[in-house]
Amino acid sequence: MVYEYVPNGTLLDHLQGLNRKPLAWTARLNVAHATAEGLAYLHFSAVPPIYHRDVKSSNILLDDKLNAKVSDFGLSRLAHTDLSHISTCAQGTLGYLDPEYYRNYQLTDKSDVYSFGVVLLELLTSQKAIDFNRPEDDVNLAVYVQRLVEEDKIMDAVDPILKQGASTLELDTMKALGFLAMGCLEQRRQDRPSMKEVAEEIEYIISIAKSKSIPEE
């Protein structure tokens, strides 16, 4: 097999500042969009469809222009278009694993959507999916941010580096991405968007981020 060399390491490396500069907000949005587009292709354009099963920031590689490449298909499964799910033992990475998949062993495209929701939270917060340095109740990033959302404090989760000097418009797009992530993390898979819908929503957020704010009357 021949693999493309991707020189800029993993998304996780950049978010954790491992000898790399922090990613700017626009770069994070572009990574989110490219990853969503890649997963949407696997779910809707590949024949048969492919469920990745291990979507996480360490499996997203960045090239020299910070373009995102989804990698590591070791746990991936081919799907059958005439079946609603694949029955299989739950596999994946702690902190990214769809709780519904873990409970009933029914793998669907929405399992990847859940994992991608965690990646969106990583992009927003620069924090790890599982971190035992956080308080006991906040070890799981998805649970931690969900608590802040319920307290109407979602912006408290955002990486302070991103908020520093950010415009009102940029802050609004950060909040929008946070709420999109929470939609991906809905407990019932039927309530989650598809990866196509996620990609389209991120594209819309990017268009807002690039637009000029309208002066208030």
Side-chain angles (χ1 to χ4, degrees):
M1 299 182 69
V2 178
Y3 289 91
E4 175 186 4
Y5 175 61
V6 185
N8 242 327
T10 72
L11 175 60
L12 179 65
D13 292 341
H14 287 265
L15 294 177
Q16 297 303 314
L18 301 179
N19 301 319
R20 292 181 170 89
K21 294 181 180 178
L23 289 174
W25 178 235
T26 53
R28 297 186 195 213
L29 285 176
N30 289 333
V31 167
H33 184 246
T35 305
E37 288 270 286
L39 293 172
Y41 177 86
L42 295 178
H43 293 175
F44 293 98
S45 298
V47 180
I50 299 171
Y51 301 156
H52 189 282
R53 293 179 84 195
D54 201 19
V55 177
K56 56 185 177 181
S57 55
S58 59
N59 280 342
I60 299 171
L61 306 180
L62 303 180
D63 68 11
D64 54 353
K65 295 182 179 179
L66 297 180
N67 295 313
K69 313 279 186 176
V70 179
S71 69
D72 195 348
F73 291 82
L75 294 181
S76 299
R77 291 290 298 270
L78 300 178
H80 298 284
T81 53
D82 57 337
L83 297 178
S84 63
H85 64 270
I86 298 172
S87 296
T88 177
C89 291
Q91 289 182 280
T93 302
L94 189 65
Y96 299 88
L97 195 60
D98 172 10
E100 191 165 274
Y101 170 38
Y102 186 77
R103 284 193 299 268
N104 60 27
Y105 305 116
Q106 292 182 352
L107 175 69
T108 73
D109 58 329
K110 298 297 182 70
S111 300
D112 283 348
V113 172
Y114 183 94
S115 301
F116 182 70
V118 179
V119 172
L120 289 181
L121 292 185
E122 290 182 276
L123 285 164
L124 196 66
T125 66
S126 299
Q127 297 195 42
K128 297 177 181 178
I130 295 292
D131 190 347
F132 292 100
N133 291 318
R134 290 194 292 264
E136 182 178 351
D137 292 339
D138 296 333
V139 167
N140 184 298
L141 182 59
V143 173
Y144 165 54
V145 178
Q146 178 63 50
R147 177 178 63 78
L148 292 177
V149 169
E150 292 171 354
E151 297 172 359
D152 199 23
K153 296 179 180 178
I154 189 171
M155 293 305 293
D156 288 359
V158 177
D159 184 349
I161 291 177
L162 293 178
K163 291 189 288 187
Q164 186 176 4
S167 67
T168 301
L169 188 65
E170 289 172 325
L171 293 173
D172 286 343
T173 58
M174 293 173 196
K175 184 179 291 186
L177 194 77
F179 283 122
L180 175 61
M182 299 318 297
C184 295
L185 295 168
E186 287 283 354
Q187 290 295 304
R188 296 173 68 250
R189 61 171 176 250
Q190 296 92 332
D191 296 333
R192 299 172 201 156
S194 69
M195 281 310 310
K196 268 187 180 180
E197 292 170 326
V198 173
E200 289 170 357
E201 181 64 21
I202 296 173
E203 186 174 12
Y204 175 71
I205 293 172
I206 289 174
S207 72
I208 295 298
K210 289 181 178 178
S211 67
K212 295 181 180 179
S213 57
I214 301 174
E216 295 183 2
E217 297 182 358

